[in-house]
Amino acid sequence: MSFESLWGDLAPVGRQAGGGYFRQPFGSAEREAVAWFVEAAQARGLAVTGDGFGNLRATWQAGSGPAVLTGSHLDSVLDGGAYDGPLGVASALAAIDMLRDRGFSPSRPISVAVFVEEEGSRFPTACLGSRLATGAVDLDRAATIRDADGVSVLDAMADAGLDPSAGSDLLNEVGCFVELHVEQGRTLVHRDAAIGVAECIWPHGRWRFDFTGEANHAGATAMADRRDPMLSYAMTALAANKQARLADLSRATFGRVEVTPNGTNAIPSRVTGWLDARSASEEVLAQMVAAITAQAADRAGRDGTAVAVTPESVSAAVDFDTGLAARIAGPHGWPVIGSQAGHDAGILQQAGIATAMLFVRNPTGVSHSPAESAELVDCLAGVGALADTLALLAGDPP
Ligand code: HGY
Ligand code: MN
Ligand code: MN
């Protein structure tokens, strides 16, 4: 009942009428979800601490030595699904309940973390909370990070009652991290498995393409006299799609665009599009982004416009700790699979913390959509898998 009860309390938070979630960092829905976590953790006697950035850690104080950390994120993409992030947090609390029901006594502390702004849906940097906690992004760089309205992330944190200048000690005394996450894809469906373990995360990133041209009248301006950035953007979006299809094991998406002044009867002065690009290898990713950039410049030259490309959030390939993955997956025969989605787990692995991920089957593979789903039976299997994994890692040494 533990998971169902936790999920029943969390699932309505931030859900809109159409079923999608809007839990942008430091907004009211996300703050309500954070309050749910603090209350649920304290109800379990976990010691809740937080850092200056809003990351939280709830600890089952037991045994001694570096903690086994689990958890995930509660923020969502715009119009996101219910499971991406929250499943890992609710499952972590339910797994602690399960271990206590089993009479398990940890030899070392077990902590549950909630990282802020994993999605980068308000601020341009993905996994911002975990990057700040590991120092991958420092305060000076954070001071330059602003949302679309120009609000700095440090001001947003201060408005939420936080003190970012205090920095972070969230990951002090952490021996390893295990994040449970709904799969974003259908590998587990194809493998007929409810649970999987992560092998790697593809290198990926987001690049801002600023196309500038000449604002003018949509009726009075002859076609030959235009310098229309919308054309340059449109061709670049098509070029990105083609380059990803030509490249090996790659993805390229323009899912966000801003037009200035965005008038129906005016040729725009500026069009900004954000490219999300991912590949199985860093070399292919770099080649693909370079090819898209070259085609954007070529088209801009023909349109009489200009283009500037700015990398906003680039994540290198992550190879998870193979020994840890094998130790976790081996006894259960869980498949070890790759992830095309980024995760806080990747940031912690890159910071030198031995990290693993457990994936829970997603029957359609759909994510970053209100249609994201997971069967309750698989969610419960995930709780059991996480409990087994925490017992393995926080139990007496073999
Ligand atoms: O965008 C991603 O890869 C992840 O879902 N944040
Ligand atoms: Mn996620
Ligand atoms: Mn996501």
Side-chain angles (χ1 to χ4, degrees):
M1 267 308 286
S2 162
F3 174 81
E4 292 95 319
S5 166
L6 286 159
W7 198 250
D9 291 340
L10 176 58
V13 177
R15 182 171 61 204
Q16 304 290 297
Y21 285 79
F22 291 79
R23 291 185 188 141
Q24 274 50 63
F26 313 113
S28 56
E30 185 255 11
R31 291 291 95 187
E32 188 182 340
V34 164
W36 161 86
F37 172 72
V38 171
E39 184 181 342
Q42 288 175 339
R44 287 162 172 77
L46 305 182
V48 180
T49 56
D51 66 13
F53 306 119
N55 298 308
L56 292 174
R57 177 174 171 179
T59 299
W60 176 1
Q61 202 54 50
S64 61
V68 175
L69 181 70
T70 183
S72 190
H73 62 95
L74 292 172
D75 66 291
S76 75
V77 292
L78 299 172
D79 208 18
Y83 297 85
D84 175 356
L87 183 63
V89 177
S91 299
L93 295 171
I96 286 177
D97 291 348
M98 185 175 280
L99 289 173
R100 285 171 166 173
D101 290 347
R102 291 180 185 173
F104 176 75
S105 176
S107 300
R108 57 190 64 81
I110 294 176
S111 292
V112 182
V114 172
F115 294 104
V116 294
E117 186 57 310
E118 188 276 344
E119 294 292 359
S121 70
R122 174 179 175 185
F123 297 99
T125 309
C127 295
L128 182 55
S130 51
R131 283 187 158 107
L132 286 164
T134 61
V137 168
D138 62 18
L139 265 180
D140 290 341
R141 167 104 176 276
T144 67
I145 295 174
R146 296 181 177 279
D147 67 12
D149 297 325
V151 177
S152 94
V153 67
L154 300 183
D155 288 346
M157 289 170 175
D159 291 347
L162 299 162
D163 173 15
S165 66
S168 180
D169 60 356
L170 195 94
L171 300 175
N172 286 5
E173 285 294 294
V174 165
C176 62
F177 177 49
V178 183
E179 179 174 5
L180 180 142
H181 204 285
V182 66
E183 188 194 352
Q184 294 161 300
R186 289 169 48 84
T187 304
L188 292 180
V189 171
H190 297 316
R191 302 284 289 270
D192 192 23
I195 304 297
V197 172
E199 177 182 31
C200 66
I201 295 177
W202 280 16
H204 62 286
R206 44 185 84 174
W207 287 260
R208 194 181 73 245
F209 282 63
D210 288 299
F211 299 94
T212 49
E214 182 179 69
N216 211 328
H217 194 292
T221 313
M223 298 311 285
D225 296 341
R226 296 173 179 221
R227 295 197 293 124
D228 185 350
M230 187 66 85
L231 299 182
S232 312
Y233 162 72
M235 285 305 293
T236 301
L238 290 171
N241 184 280
K242 181 165 185 182
Q243 289 299 330
R245 291 171 185 276
L246 291 173
D248 186 27
L249 294 176
S250 296
R251 315 280 194 270
T253 312
F254 275 97
R256 175 186 171 196
V257 63
E258 288 177 1
V259 181
T260 304
N262 209 25
T264 306
N265 56 356
I267 301 165
S269 57
R270 169 192 287 265
V271 176
T272 297
W274 281 263
L275 170 68
D276 179 308
R278 311 183 187 216
S279 292
S281 83
E282 292 185 2
E283 184 190 359
V284 171
L285 178 62
Q287 287 166 355
M288 181 172 70
V289 173
I292 295 166
T293 301
Q295 287 188 266
D298 174 62
R299 180 65 201 205
R302 281 187 274 139
D303 292 333
T305 59
V307 60
V309 181
T310 310
E312 283 201 335
S313 175
V314 183
S315 301
V318 172
D319 290 314
F320 286 110
D321 187 302
T322 46
L324 186 58
R327 210 174 143 213
I328 291 168
H332 305 276
W334 294 328
V336 180
I337 63 176
S339 173
Q340 290 73 43
H343 301 283
D344 292 314
I347 304 302
L348 269 67
Q349 177 66 46
Q350 286 175 328
I353 296 173
T355 296
M357 288 193 76
L358 293 176
F359 289 121
V360 172
R361 177 166 47 198
N362 173 339
T364 64
V366 169
S367 185
H368 285 188
S369 158
E372 183 182 79
S373 68
E375 301 292 342
L376 177 59
V377 63
D378 287 345
C379 294
L380 295 175
V383 172
L386 185 57
D388 291 348
T389 301
L390 295 175
L392 173 73
L393 300 174
D396 290 326

